Amino acid sequence: MSLEKVKGIIIEQLGLEESMEIKRETSLMGDLEADSLDAVEIIMAIEDEFGIEIPDEAAEGFKNIGDIVDYVENNK
Amino acid sequence: MKKRVVVTGLGCITPLGNGKDVFWKALLEGKSGIGEITKFDAAEFPTKIAAEVKDFQAEEYMDKKEARKMDLFVQYAVAGSKLAIDDSGLDLNSVEKESFGVIMGSGIGGISTLEDQHQKMMEKGPRRISPFFIPMMIANMASGQVSMSFGAKGPNTTVVTACASATNAIGEAFKVIERGDAKVMITGGTEASITPLSIGGFCSMKAMSTHNEDPQKASRPFDKNRDGFVMGEGSGILILEELGHALQRGATIYGEVAGYGMSADAHHITAPAPEGEGGQRAMKNALNDGNIGIEEVDYINAHGTSTPYNDQFETMAIKAVFKEHSKKIAVSSTKSMTGHLLGAAGGIEAIASVMAIKEGWVPPTMNYETPDEECDLDYVPNQARQMDVRVALSNSLGFGGHNATILFKKYE
């Protein structure tokens, strides 16, 4: 469930096509060409969506979408 | 030796339509781009009308993903620039990037982004301010994004002189090419400030028309019953090119940039100097710069905002500079149709001036019904006029006492 929501947020924030393939292994910056400002905005949107707070130290450790989803699952 | 500079491309996003052909046709037909404000609920504002851009889809002109990170005033600049480049036939793969620059003007910058983000901060706290807030809002981002969109690595800067911004930008871009620092410049102005805070601010100054009941008649420059300007939005962009560069690639030449002048009133934050003294010097400086005699000027695209002060003082300034010849000059204010695009006004008005030279037609001043004894020039009332235009002058005057004049002449 969280994966689908996170995918939706990323597609929305990056203005991607709905059909874009986003998996747990997908990297925001490496595969989706997000820059550091995009990443900040995506984290904010995820915080809003799930009603959680993601500290900068945690966000800096995210390597791919799977890391974000796991963090959300463990903290919501 | 000064380089000669010609206009080889025109592009615009305006309340009368997008692209120079649509815009020019509407001007000659005397159409109005003014209507009720639809961008927000203006019920509580004294002014409820504006000249909004219609039918603008950013993704027709740029990558959708990039557009999301641009304030509307930047989107207008990129879209207008694309139209101007397409119109010029410039091949971006062959132009020398380091000799290809950008100077844009904007009076206000990204005020809608500023309003949105301020509201977000007040509602949700400072941690919810978007990381794109600053790069979307800052006024220089139009020049920055246009350079990125088209790979223009040459001279690049931004002019912020309120309603004179675009004319100053075009003048400065002209000088960059004239002194040999670039071969091609994208220049003009852009504005998107039909927002609650901005409209409210101008309302408080009593600067805007409150002819809400008849929007298309609200902007009436030089008419005795004028009661303020009507805000417009959009962009007006020109491609300026060093003559040799234009000839070498067989470009269509619309006209030549003949001179540029500027001055300061050093008088008051918003009111013009007595007798339009500062405006007089801007026009004289442009004529001197281009070595153009007063009797050579056929057409003036006036600043003509439709405020009581501006139109009276600009008339006095034109009479003081051109003396007896002022009676023979066709003077019109296209703001009667487009509204006042603030920092973009000089951009679309430069396009109108260049097209007047190229096409041999002068756009009218619409809504001119009741003559004002203080405004007694030939304002080309209500109907476009076919006439040969060898030299056209465009004035832009801004809060802060900034005066800018650009001159165009027929390319020969």
Side-chain angles (χ1 to χ4, degrees):
Chain A
M1 265 317 284
S2 299
L3 177 63
E4 286 311 305
K5 277 192 181 169
V6 169
K7 269 166 65 174
I9 288 168
I10 290 169
I11 285 170
E12 163 76 19
Q13 295 296 329
L14 295 180
L16 302 173
E17 297 296 326
E18 291 288 336
S19 57
M20 187 81 189
E21 194 185 24
I22 297 175
K23 297 182 292 195
R24 283 187 57 90
E25 296 73 36
T26 305
S27 154
L28 265 186
M29 292 186 177
D31 299 317
L32 301 178
E33 295 177 351
D35 62 23
S36 60
L37 300 181
D38 291 319
V40 173
E41 199 167 56
I42 287 166
I43 296 297
M44 277 186 191
I46 290 169
E47 288 178 329
D48 278 349
E49 174 69 30
F50 295 100
I52 58 172
E53 209 167 290
I54 304 175
D56 289 349
E57 310 81 70
E60 283 159 16
F62 297 155
K63 291 192 173 52
N64 56 35
I65 308 301
D67 291 344
I68 300 175
V69 172
D70 291 343
Y71 186 91
V72 169
E73 288 291 331
N74 295 331
N75 292 277
K76 71 178 177 182
Chain B
M1 172 96 172
K2 283 182 180 176
K3 311 279 188 208
R4 291 175 70 183
V5 180
V6 291
V7 181
T8 57
L10 303 171
C12 55
I13 303 295
T14 85
L16 295 174
N18 306 334
K20 70 150 204 303
D21 294 325
V22 174
F23 172 61
W24 178 244
K25 186 163 179 281
L27 284 184
L28 293 189
E29 289 171 355
K31 287 196 173 151
S32 173
I34 299 166
E36 280 178 32
I37 292 173
T38 64
K39 287 176 180 278
F40 62 93
D41 180 2
E44 288 184 30
F45 292 69
T47 293
K48 305 172 194 345
I49 55 173
E52 295 180 342
V53 165
K54 293 99 186 159
D55 308 321
F56 178 75
Q57 303 294 333
E59 52 267 32
E60 286 179 26
Y61 306 94
M62 65 204 86
D63 184 57
K64 187 173 144 197
K65 182 171 173 253
E66 294 302 319
R68 287 187 71 257
K69 299 175 192 170
M70 295 179 195
D71 185 276
L72 188 57
F73 90 105
V74 176
Q75 293 181 1
Y76 287 162
V78 172
S81 298
K82 181 170 189 335
L83 289 169
I85 288 169
D86 290 350
D87 185 52
S88 75
L90 205 62
D91 176 6
L92 294 182
N93 294 314
S94 67
V95 65
E96 193 192 328
K97 304 277 189 208
E98 292 76 12
S99 295
F100 180 29
V102 184
I103 301 183
M104 287 289 154
S106 179
I108 297 188
I111 192 166
S112 64
T113 299
L114 187 131
E115 288 176 42
D116 291 347
Q117 293 298 317
H118 181 259
Q119 189 164 359
K120 204 179 237 185
M121 180 184 77
M122 297 308 282
E123 286 170 0
K124 296 182 173 178
R127 283 175 48 83
R128 283 295 171 269
I129 299 169
S130 168
F132 294 106
F133 163 48
I134 299 295
M136 284 173 76
M137 173 209 55
I138 51 183
N140 59 298
M141 200 47 79
S143 300
Q145 287 280 14
V146 169
S147 76
M148 287 171 235
S149 297
F150 306 104
K153 294 187 173 184
N156 191 304
T157 188
T158 296
V159 179
V160 179
T161 49
C163 304
S165 300
T167 299
N168 278 134
I170 295 165
E172 296 303 323
F174 160 54
K175 291 292 162 188
V176 165
I177 299 177
E178 194 182 63
R179 66 176 181 256
D181 287 351
K183 298 271 195 233
V184 184
M185 295 292 290
I186 306 172
T187 185
T190 186
E191 205 78 84
S193 53
I194 303 176
T195 69
L197 191 61
S198 166
I199 293 277
F202 282 106
C203 281
S204 294
M205 297 175 75
K206 313 282 182 205
M208 298 178 80
S209 172
T210 53
H211 267 299
N212 298 313
E213 65 292 337
D214 197 359
Q216 303 210 338
K217 297 228 163 198
S219 182
R220 39 196 321 115
F222 305 109
D223 183 276
K224 196 175 180 63
N225 298 318
R226 64 189 184 276
D227 74 330
F229 78 89
V230 177
M231 193 187 293
E233 60 169 349
S235 66
I237 313 290
L238 291 78
I239 305 297
L240 302 189
E241 202 166 340
E242 190 270 317
L243 176 62
H245 192 274
L247 291 175
Q248 198 168 24
R249 67 180 189 88
T252 298
I253 294 174
Y254 288 96
E256 181 167 356
V257 189
Y260 168 51
M262 58 176 159
S263 72
D265 283 353
H267 172 69
H268 184 264
I269 51 172
T270 57
E275 300 183 10
E277 181 273 335
Q280 290 179 33
R281 284 184 291 111
M283 285 188 269
K284 282 181 189 166
N285 290 343
L287 292 164
N288 288 338
D289 181 49
N291 200 18
I292 302 273
I294 53 174
E295 71 291 341
E296 291 180 68
V297 175
D298 302 304
Y299 172 57
I300 295 178
N301 188 300
H303 191 54
T305 56
S306 185
T307 64
Y309 263 165
N310 177 86
D311 298 359
Q312 180 190 340
F313 284 40
E314 190 178 5
T315 297
M316 290 167 94
I318 290 169
K319 285 161 73 174
V321 171
F322 291 93
K323 308 198 166 61
E324 272 309 298
H325 182 68
S326 65
K327 302 283 178 197
K328 294 183 190 158
I329 302 174
V331 180
S332 70
S333 171
T334 41
K335 289 187 179 77
S336 56
M337 298 170 271
T338 63
H340 186 356
L341 273 65
L342 309 181
I348 62 167
E349 288 157 19
I351 292 175
S353 303
V354 169
M355 289 298 283
I357 292 171
K358 178 85 176 151
E359 300 292 318
W361 279 87
V362 165
T365 302
M366 297 304 292
N367 304 319
Y368 185 82
E369 289 166 354
T370 312
D372 176 349
E373 55 277 11
E374 305 281 0
C375 300
D376 54 353
L377 295 172
D378 171 8
Y379 300 112
V380 196
N382 305 316
Q383 197 137 31
R385 184 182 301 166
Q386 190 167 20
M387 61 177 267
D388 190 37
V389 179
R390 292 157 303 162
V391 176
L393 178 155
S394 178
N395 278 335
S396 295
L397 317 170
F399 287 166
H402 303 285
N403 309 295
T405 299
I406 191 96
L407 276 169
F408 298 99
K409 65 181 179 188
K410 203 170 265 192
Y411 168 65
E412 287 166 332

